[in-house]
Amino acid sequence: GDKVKQSPSALSLQEGTNSALRCNFSIAATTVQWFLQNPRGSLINLFYLVPGTKENGRLKSAFDSKESYSTLHIRDAQLEDSGTYFCAAERDSNYQLIWGSGTKLIIKP
Amino acid sequence: EAAVTQSPRNKVAVTGGKVTLSCNQTNNHNNMYWYRQDTGHGLRLIHYSYGAGSTEKGDIPDGYKASRPSQENFSLILELATPSQTSVYFCASGEGLGVETLYFGSGTRLTVL
């Protein structure tokens, strides 16, 4: 089965609303990264997480290694937040990432 | 800001031909990676490198070779391209010092006919 499972697979939101994306891990993840792939295809690093939380503007992410999940919260969604969000987990601190299949997020005006 | 440059941006190759995808990073990062991205999948690791002269197999290395002649350059080589290798390929670099944020190139779209 999927070692890194993302949910939902797709999400459509009105501008100005909030959302929560989730990754569940069936591996012993040591760190987690969240990326946004924008509509042009570029991959942008959003967060690098050890267990704990980080916040950057309207984005907030948490990683709970004991419960094996990570979340990404988007507050006050804007049109430019549209794209596909990926989480990727590092196992055993060997720098190799295992990727989820992504959440496609569409923000509507 | 990290700079990772891939070339070419688009490539059409014929079955059985040789394809070389190039990646250059200007950040003096130790680690470099090659991924492919297909619809319905996250990124899958093909090969990676810990530094000049080093190449390691990732999760899906079959049909691919890699070369790291210098700190800055990391190439992915398809000796005998097949249609199943049609995909978007991403190169990434990372510091490799324990806390590693990855920086990605813009991708290469490869079509094998």
Side-chain angles (χ1 to χ4, degrees):
Chain A
D2 293 348
K3 296 175 181 175
V4 177
K5 189 168 180 61
Q6 288 190 241
S7 60
S9 57
L11 185 59
S12 181
L13 297 174
Q14 289 296 127
E15 196 175 9
T17 59
N18 304 330
S19 64
L21 312 181
R22 186 177 175 103
C23 278
N24 288 311
F25 311 116
S26 61
I27 56 169
T30 53
T31 67
V32 174
Q33 297 189 43
W34 283 91
F35 297 87
L36 167 61
Q37 187 168 35
N38 65 23
R40 293 189 307 279
S42 297
L43 279 155
I44 303 160
N45 190 288
L46 299 175
F47 290 105
Y48 177 102
L49 292 159
V50 295
T53 62
K54 281 189 177 178
E55 193 164 354
N56 184 4
R58 296 180 292 102
L59 302 181
K60 183 176 180 179
S61 186
F63 170 37
D64 186 329
S65 58
K66 292 181 181 177
E67 298 297 324
S68 300
Y69 75 91
S70 179
T71 56
L72 176 67
H73 292 264
I74 304 173
R75 175 174 52 83
D76 185 25
Q78 303 297 304
L79 297 177
E80 61 264 28
D81 295 332
S82 295
T84 301
Y85 290 80
F86 290 97
C87 67
E90 182 182 5
R91 177 176 54 187
D92 301 326
S93 301
N94 66 357
Y95 307 135
Q96 293 180 51
L97 295 179
I98 301 172
W99 292 69
S101 297
T103 294
K104 184 171 184 178
L105 179 64
I106 297 172
I107 307 299
K108 297 179 179 178
Chain B
E1 178 102 10
V4 180
T5 306
Q6 291 183 233
S7 62
R9 288 299 308 273
N10 293 281
K11 172 76 176 177
V12 179
V14 295
T15 297
K18 182 176 180 179
V19 177
T20 300
L21 307 183
S22 300
C23 180
N24 176 274
Q25 55 101 358
T26 59
N27 305 289
N28 200 32
H29 284 169
N30 291 322
N31 292 0
M32 295 186 75
Y33 305 84
W34 276 107
Y35 290 93
R36 64 179 282 176
Q37 184 179 32
D38 302 291
T39 303
H41 291 274
L43 275 69
R44 292 185 288 175
L45 182 64
I46 307 170
H47 284 288
Y48 61 103
S49 168
Y50 290 127
S54 139
T55 61
E56 307 289 338
K57 292 181 178 180
D59 298 323
I60 53 165
D62 293 345
Y64 302 94
K65 289 171 54 178
S67 174
R68 183 88 181 270
S70 65
Q71 183 82 337
E72 298 79 20
N73 295 295
F74 190 38
S75 297
L76 185 68
I77 302 150
L78 291 67
E79 294 278 5
L80 294 170
T82 67
S84 65
Q85 293 176 312
T86 294
S87 188
V88 179
Y89 292 84
F90 285 95
C91 174
S93 73
E95 290 178 297
L97 296 175
V99 177
E100 182 169 73
T101 296
L102 290 187
Y103 296 90
F104 281 86
S106 299
T108 295
R109 184 173 294 276
L110 173 66
T111 302
V112 182
L113 302 175

